[in-house]
Amino acid sequence: MAYIFDEPSRTFSEYLLVPGYSSDKCLVSNVKLTTPLVKFKKGEESSIKLNIPLVSAIMQSVSGEKMGIALAREGGCSFIFGSQPIEKQAEMVRKVKAFKAGFVPSDSNLSEEDTLKDILQLKEKSGHSTVAITQDGSQHGKLLGVVTSRDYRISRMSLDTKIKEFMTPFSKLIYAKDGVTLSQANDILWDNKLNALPVVDENQRLKYFVFRKDYDTHKDNPNELLDQNKSYIVGAGINTRDYEDRIPALIDAGCDVLCIDSSEGFSQWQKNTLSFVREKYGDSVKIGAGNIVDREGFRFLAEAGADFIKVGIGGGSICITRETKGIGRGQATAMIEVAKARDEYFKETGIYIPICSDGGIVHDYHMTLALAMGADFLMLGRYFARFDESPTQRINVNGSYMKEYWGEGSARARNWQRYDLGGDKKLSFVEGVDSYVPYAGSLHNGVLQSLNKVKSTMCNCGALTLDELKSKAKLTVVSSTSIVEGGAHDVVLKENRTNN
């Protein structure tokens, strides 16, 4: 007969943290959320660390280039969805890497023969008010001038006015020569009260812009996740079918870390994909794998060469894998067992492989529970889909603002590769739904509030780092009646009334 686990499969909602001693140093401002993203050897440090323990799910409705930029700005990492053509995914990665490099390639360019109408259309499309005017209208053409919103007045100019009639010509521009350091460029910006500084080569060809707002943004976002070139760190999802073509394209685009996107990772297909990466790139390319829910699955992927391992099957808010196939495990139970397996592996080999909790996060306090149970970081879909920076549009549904959110296994996404079992190249039945989530505004404000809750709870446990939380946390299973007790009860709640 089948093997039957002794313990029931539990969710995060079935646990509470028991407070520990809090010293006078246990202040939210003292809590650090730095955590490893990829594996490392004992005595060494991870080559990629997150400044906050959050990454965005590999989903069409969650992780595009805007999410990649916004989340890296907060200190996390986005995994650009892979259920799209290779070229489009690689281009998204390039946009994230180019956005915050200190020296930013210009993506708003026109020629001097274009018109004010072209300027306005480009501004609407890109959202950028600084437009480089080059001889051929290309990104790296000979720079002839620059147009900003200060160079024209729509109410007093014809839309047919040629750009050469109102641009600031090169002769009047303050610029820097290629080779200038970022520190020197910022000094020029500040000394001359500029918003943008073009950088040109010896032939006057445009190389980059340095923007004043990027300096300000960095000061306002000290947790920014940057590589050694001051570019945002970004990840990308891959599948086990076209990886031989997709991975080189993503690496060429500048991708920092890959992740195999699959509903179930305990498979030969994932091992083949990991073997390809190790044979072609050695350890220089970082790649996560999953998803798994037990010790055996962890050991399999660890020995296959995964840099991190995702835990969770069927716990996502839009996932119906458990309902359709009867496969999965309660997220809390899965996390606890896999965390023990990770620690055992570390003791045996001296190699620490971070684990990612993927799914099952309903409330903010579930984040802290997952981290206390051993997760090094969390992958979130529904949570991030609610924000302005997700790829979907904000819409009004019955008087409330919503954002669309659909699963990769839904009929809408048709991401058959994620559920691939080596058969026909199609989605035989759906394992995800198409839905709405309540709109939640900007990612910055939402993440700030959620992580303040995490930090506050860590202080209650006497922990100032995630490692301390793992070692000091005390968890208790709760009964159904104690869950009721934890909410508002035995009172008559006041209604929110608006006086007209």
Side-chain angles (χ1 to χ4, degrees), residues 339-387:
K340 289 179 180 178
R342 175 204 56 203
D343 294 344
E344 290 173 3
Y345 189 82
F346 180 54
K347 289 180 181 178
E348 291 175 17
T349 66
I351 298 174
Y352 187 92
I353 302 178
I355 56 176
C356 168
S357 179
D358 180 15
I361 302 293
V362 180
H363 306 291
D364 285 347
Y365 83 91
H366 288 170
M367 295 182 182
T368 319
L369 286 171
L371 294 167
M373 289 173 182
D376 294 283
F377 57 96
L378 317 174
M379 178 170 278
L380 306 170
R382 179 197 62 84
Y383 178 84
F384 286 121
R386 305 172 303 144
F387 297 128

Side-chain angles (χ1 to χ4, degrees), residues 394-403 436-439:
R394 185 183 70 170
I395 58 177
N396 190 304
V397 179
N398 298 325
S400 298
Y401 282 115
M402 299 281 180
K403 296 205 76 175
Y436 298 112
V437 289
Y439 169 67

Side-chain angles (χ1 to χ4, degrees), residues 36-272:
L37 177 62
V38 296
K39 69 183 177 184
F40 57 94
K41 294 180 180 178
K42 186 176 182 179
E44 299 179 358
E45 291 191 348
S46 175
S47 60
I48 305 178
K49 287 184 176 181
L50 299 170
N51 292 326
I52 61 172
L54 306 180
V55 301
S56 64
I58 309 168
M59 301 175 69
Q60 294 174 9
S61 56
V62 179
S63 297
E65 66 265 26
K66 288 184 179 179
M67 182 61 66
I69 293 165
L71 189 49
R73 183 179 290 145
E74 300 301 320
C77 180
S78 184
F79 284 85
I80 304 298
F81 70 92
S83 51
Q84 60 177 320
I86 295 173
E87 297 76 15
K88 289 186 177 180
Q89 187 185 22
E91 182 58 26
M92 285 187 176
V93 170
R94 288 191 186 93
K95 287 180 178 179
V96 177
K97 298 302 293 183
F99 184 83
K100 184 66 172 68
F103 296 97
V104 183
S106 176
D107 63 357
S108 296
N109 312 283
L110 292 170
S111 74
E112 62 179 355
E113 294 299 321
D114 290 315
T115 65
L116 176 59
K117 181 179 180 180
D118 296 315
I119 288 284
L120 298 177
Q121 289 177 340
L122 182 58
K123 182 179 178 180
E124 182 179 0
K125 179 180 179 181
S126 68
H128 299 155
S129 58
T130 300
V131 180
I133 309 306
T134 60
Q135 195 168 53
D136 59 1
S138 69
Q139 185 179 61
H140 297 298
K142 183 177 181 180
L143 184 63
L144 302 181
V146 169
V147 172
T148 70
S149 56
R150 293 177 295 181
D151 291 314
Y152 56 85
R153 293 185 66 179
I154 301 173
S155 61
R156 297 189 179 185
M157 293 172 60
S158 168
L159 295 180
D160 295 329
T161 306
K162 295 288 181 100
I163 289 176
K164 62 184 177 183
E165 296 180 26
F166 62 88
M167 71 180 185
T168 300
F170 183 79
S171 61
K172 294 184 179 180
L173 289 176
I174 296 174
Y175 61 92
K177 288 292 187 68
D178 193 21
V180 67
T181 67
L182 184 58
S183 177
Q184 291 169 336
N186 280 322
D187 286 341
I188 296 172
L189 281 170
W190 283 92
D191 292 344
N192 294 278
K193 299 180 180 180
L194 303 173
N195 290 322
L197 177 72
V199 179
V200 299
D201 66 13
E202 66 276 6
N203 297 315
Q204 202 176 310
R205 298 179 69 85
L206 179 63
K207 299 293 290 183
Y208 312 101
F209 274 102
V210 178
F211 293 100
R212 183 189 186 108
K213 66 178 177 63
D214 286 343
Y215 178 88
D216 295 335
T217 297
H218 177 66
K219 294 302 179 183
D220 292 339
N221 296 277
N223 285 328
E224 283 183 313
L225 194 64
L226 305 172
D227 64 18
Q228 59 185 3
N229 297 317
K230 305 297 184 182
S231 295
Y232 282 145
I233 285 178
V234 65
I238 63 169
N239 62 67
T240 57
R241 285 278 188 160
D242 65 7
Y243 58 87
E244 293 187 7
D245 297 319
R246 189 174 293 269
I247 291 176
L250 292 171
I251 297 303
D252 184 63
C255 186
D256 298 284
V257 57
L258 305 169
C259 184
I260 303 173
D261 182 28
S262 174
S263 66
E264 204 278 299
F266 195 175
S267 72
Q268 183 65 37
W269 293 279
Q270 292 226 356
K271 184 176 181 180
N272 293 343

Side-chain angles (χ1 to χ4, degrees), residues 21-28 30-31 458-464:
Y21 168 70
S22 300
S23 72
D24 56 5
K25 294 182 180 179
C26 287
L27 303 173
V28 169
N30 290 337
V31 176
M458 288 173 63
C459 288
N460 293 141
C461 297
L464 295 178

